[in-house]
Amino acid sequence: QNGVMSGLMQMLLLKVSAHITEQLGMAPGGEFREAFKEASKVPFCKFHLGDRPIPVTFKRAIAALSFWQKVKLAWGLCFLSDPISKDDVEKCKQKDLLEQMMAEMIGEFPDLHRTIVSERDIYLTYMLKQAAKQIELPRASENEPRKYIPAVVVGVVGMGHVPGIEKNWNSDLKIQEIMSVPPPSASSKIFKFVLKATVFGLLGYSCYRIGHRTVQFVLSMPATQSYLQRLTGVPQQ
């Protein structure tokens, strides 16, 4: 539904998620599931999913990477086997170590960091600010002055997004640009065509080989040969 490259990227990230779950005994994103449970306990609480839609993020991330960067990223995700402990997770909660990890990501894949982290910092900040707007109280008549009360908002975000949200909070944010999906480049179109041609070619060749061997096997069976001889009127040897 979202394209070949986006689908492959989602499969690779699911593999990473499964690896983390296997290592730690818990699935990533538990804080968001817990937030949903707690929100259901609060009267009149509205629960909002405030992150940018995953297909938009994936398509923008894929479009930002060169062909070799895509290969390098896919290779790294395919053969991810580094052990992860609960101590490693606790270390990530330390601000200095978290910033060091983010800096390493920026150095290796700056465009990926921009689309997956920096742009989502802007989007998350925008959505939080929309949720934090003052609430207008109902008025008895048009002549009555408007009265507002502050909104009570609890935002649950990944730790890696906190510095970016703080940085963008007082900025005039526009999210139209980071919501658009750039058209595929010429190289990605060629890659997609070659990939499809390869897949369909291998599928067709496999069907031909399987069909050819099946026909040969059926014709070599004594019952088949006997039936064909009776059909053609050739006497058996």
Side-chain angles (χ1 to χ4, degrees):
Q1 290 179 343
N2 298 317
V4 175
M5 291 302 298
S6 182
L8 290 173
M9 183 67 73
Q10 289 192 47
M11 288 171 63
L12 290 173
L13 291 178
L14 283 172
K15 181 182 182 298
V16 174
S17 177
H19 173 69
I20 295 171
T21 304
E22 182 183 8
Q23 293 284 318
L24 299 177
M26 63 182 76
E31 65 272 35
F32 305 118
R33 286 185 284 274
E34 194 64 29
F36 179 76
K37 288 181 187 177
E38 292 300 318
S40 64
K41 301 175 186 177
V42 180
F44 309 108
C45 178
K46 294 182 179 179
F47 184 84
H48 294 283
L49 298 174
D51 204 349
R52 184 170 64 177
I54 289 177
V56 175
T57 298
F58 277 168
K59 287 180 180 179
R60 286 186 63 85
I62 291 166
L65 296 175
S66 67
F67 175 76
W68 293 114
Q69 283 179 321
K70 292 173 186 174
V71 172
K72 184 179 180 182
L73 178 65
W75 182 267
L77 293 176
C78 277
F79 295 96
L80 180 71
S81 58
D82 295 337
I84 304 169
S85 67
K86 292 185 179 181
D87 290 336
D88 295 331
V89 177
E90 291 300 319
K91 288 177 183 178
C92 290
K93 295 179 183 179
Q94 301 176 26
K95 187 176 180 182
D96 293 341
L97 285 174
L98 185 64
E99 289 179 351
Q100 180 183 343
M101 291 171 59
M102 299 297 282
E104 290 175 0
M105 182 180 175
I106 294 172
E108 193 166 5
F109 296 102
D111 293 324
L112 194 65
H113 180 274
R114 174 176 55 80
T115 52
I116 290 184
V117 180
S118 299
E119 289 183 0
R120 286 174 58 227
D121 289 345
I122 295 172
Y123 189 90
L124 289 166
T125 307
Y126 178 85
M127 295 300 287
L128 282 168
K129 290 179 75 173
Q130 292 297 309
K133 284 183 176 180
Q134 289 187 326
I135 301 171
E136 183 180 354
L137 294 174
R139 294 183 294 166
S141 65
E142 291 293 330
N143 297 326
E144 186 179 345
R146 297 176 184 272
K147 294 181 181 179
Y148 298 88
I149 58 171
V152 179
V153 179
V154 177
V156 181
V157 299
M159 286 187 65
H161 291 290
V162 174
I165 292 172
E166 292 176 346
K167 174 185 172 184
N168 291 304
W169 189 260
N170 294 319
S171 303
D172 183 21
L173 303 174
K174 293 180 175 61
I175 61 171
Q176 289 80 8
E177 183 180 346
I178 62 172
M179 289 299 293
S180 63
V181 178
S185 62
S187 60
S188 65
K189 289 180 180 178
I190 294 171
F191 175 75
K192 188 183 294 184
F193 174 78
V194 171
L195 181 64
K196 286 183 177 180
T198 303
V199 170
F200 284 117
L202 290 172
L203 184 63
Y205 180 72
S206 299
C207 291
Y208 166 75
R209 294 292 297 175
I210 292 171
H212 183 68
R213 290 183 178 181
T214 302
V215 170
Q216 284 184 328
F217 174 74
V218 171
L219 291 176
S220 65
M221 294 174 65
T224 306
Q225 291 181 354
S226 175
Y227 176 76
L228 290 175
Q229 287 170 354
R230 287 201 306 270
L231 197 66
T232 56
V234 178
Q236 295 186 11
Q237 297 292 330

